[in-house]
Amino acid sequence: MFYKKYIPLLLSILTLLNCSKNETSPLELETEEQLEPKPEELIEPASEVYFTFNVANNLQTDKSDDWIILHDDKGNLLDFKPFEVGDSQVLEALETSLTEKITITILKYDSYSNQFGSGERYTLETFPNVEKGSHWNYKPIGIPRREEDKNGEFSVKVQNFPGIMLLGDFPDPFGTPHVSTPIQFSLYSASTNLTVDSGTRELELGTFPNFSGTEYLFSVWDKNDELKYKFFEALEGEDYITLNYDEFSPFDSQISLKLKPNKFNSFRLTGFDEKQSFKNTDIGFFIMAFENTNQSDVPIGFLDRFINYRTFYAVESSDESYTYRFLKQGNKPLAEDFIIPEKPSIVMENTSIYDFNFIVNQNYERKTNEWSSTFTNLNSENISIKWKVHSTQEKYPKMGEIPLEILNKYTNFTISDLEMTLTHLYLKSDPYPKFLFKSFGPNEQEFDVDFEERAIVWKEE
C-alpha cells in the first residue's frame, strides 16, 4: 500500500524527536553547573609577626629574673617569655587573634640578703597602645661609668678659699662645690675639709677619678654670695691638684631662682658644649645642684661656652599634697620656668589597677600611675611589689591578668593587695608615641635638642 513506504521515514522522525527531548544543550549544561553549589575552600589563617624584642648586650640580667608579658588591647593574653642579655625574640600569632594595638609589660624579680635582712623585689612596668609589628630595643637607662679609662684618683686643694655658702643648717650633701667631667657623670660635694692656717683658708676635696687629658669643671657658690668656676686638667699619676681661688672666674650670666615656702626642693644644672653630642643623659659638666635648701633666693649661673643645658627642678608643696617637676633640655632656663602651677582638682572614681578611673580639671599629655604593696612573709622576708602603668589622657588600658605560670613560680608575688601610691600628670611632654620611641627606639638614636617636660605628682593617702 501507499502508506507502507512512508513507515520507515516516520519511525526515523519519531526517533529523532525522542532523542532531542532527552539531550541537554551546551548552554543549558553551563547554566546548571553555575547554579550547582560548590564546596567552600578552607583558608588557613596566616601567622603574623606582631612584636620584636631585642635586649641590649650591656643590660644586666644575671642577678634577676626578667619577663616580657604581652596582651592585646582587650586584655587577652598573647604570650609571655623570660629574657636574658643579648636576646632577640620574634613573637608570632595567628593574624585572626591579633588587635592593631598591644600592651607590653616588663616584669623584673630579684632577691637580696644582707646584714639588714633578706627579701624579694618585684617591679612591673606596663606600656599600652603599642603598634602591632613594633620593634623594641630594651636597654639600660643612662650610660655606665667608664672605670676602664680611669688612671688612678686625685684630690683637689683650693687656696685662698673664702668659704662655702650654706644651703641649709649645714653644708648640704647636694650643695656646693662640685667637680665634674663629661667622661663620667660626677657629683662631688660636701665631703670637704676647710682649714685656716696663718690666715690662709684652704679647701680640700676628694677623691676624684683621674681621666688624664680630660677637662674638669670646678664650680662653687661661695660664702661671699658669688658664683665662680674654673676648668682644669689632671695629669696621669697626679695625686693632688692645687688651685688658687683668686684665679676663679665669675659666671658669664645668671638668673635668680626664688623659692616659696616648701616641704622639699631639688635642683640640678648640667652644661654641654660644642664638643659633645647632646643626648638624653646626665653626662656633661655639672654646674650646680642643691637639695632641700632653706634659701629663698638662689643664683643660677651660665657659661657662654655651653650651647645646651639640662635643667631639673622639683618642689614639694608645704602641705605635702603634690610635687611639681620641671625638666628642660636645650636653651638655658628662664626665671619664669620655675613658676609653680596650682594643683588641679582631682576626683578618684576607682583606684584599682584593673579598673582605674579619675576625673581631673586639667588637660595633659600623658600620665603614669603607680601601685605598690610591701609586707613581711612567714619567713620574715621583706616583700616589695611595685607596678607602674603608662597611658594617655584619652584612655586607660584594659589590663590583662598576670599568667598563672608566673604567679605559681613566685609564691610571694601577690597582686591582690596592691594599693595606688602615686600619679604623675605630665602637663607638657613628648606625645605618647614619641615617648615610646625614645624609650625603646634604636640604640644610637639622637634626641631632640629642645625638650621640655612639666609634671604634677601627688600621693594617694
Side-chain angles (χ1 to χ4, degrees), residues 182 215 231 271-278 284-285 303-309:
E215 274 191 306
F231 288 98
F272 301 81
D273 62 24
E274 69 278 4
K275 297 178 183 178
Q276 295 162 294
S277 175
F278 188 73
F285 287 108
L303 297 178
D304 292 343
R305 71 170 275 177
F306 294 141
I307 59 173
N308 291 305
Y309 291 88

Side-chain angles (χ1 to χ4, degrees), residues 242-360:
T242 301
L243 306 174
N244 191 330
Y245 197 70
D246 295 336
E247 298 175 354
F248 279 53
S249 303
F251 279 76
D252 297 322
S253 61
Q254 66 181 56
I255 61 173
S256 179
L257 171 56
K258 300 186 181 299
L259 288 164
K260 293 182 179 180
N262 58 82
K263 184 66 176 179
F264 174 83
N265 57 75
S266 179
F267 177 85
R268 293 179 178 86
L269 180 67
T270 309
F272 301 81
D273 62 24
E274 69 278 4
K275 297 178 183 178
Q276 295 162 294
S277 175
F278 188 73
K279 294 185 178 182
N280 190 19
T281 74
D282 278 327
I283 303 298
F285 287 108
F286 211 82
I287 300 173
M288 186 177 183
F290 61 79
E291 189 164 298
N292 217 22
T293 180
N294 58 12
Q295 299 282 347
S296 60
D297 197 334
V298 181
I300 307 298
F302 308 101
L303 297 178
D304 292 343
R305 71 170 275 177
F306 294 141
I307 59 173
N308 291 305
Y309 291 88
R310 189 173 196 263
T311 308
F312 173 79
Y313 175 56
V315 178
E316 185 179 9
S317 61
S318 298
D319 61 1
E320 303 181 42
S321 62
Y322 76 105
T323 298
Y324 174 67
R325 293 182 179 177
F326 169 75
L327 174 64
K328 184 175 183 178
Q329 296 177 164
N331 295 330
K332 59 186 178 183
L334 305 174
E336 51 264 33
D337 287 331
F338 302 112
I339 298 175
I340 302 173
E342 296 293 330
K343 180 184 178 182
S345 174
I346 302 159
V347 177
M348 289 291 176
E349 295 191 331
N350 194 325
T351 58
S352 166
I353 194 169
Y354 289 103
D355 299 295
F356 173 72
N357 188 36
F358 78 130
I359 299 174
V360 60

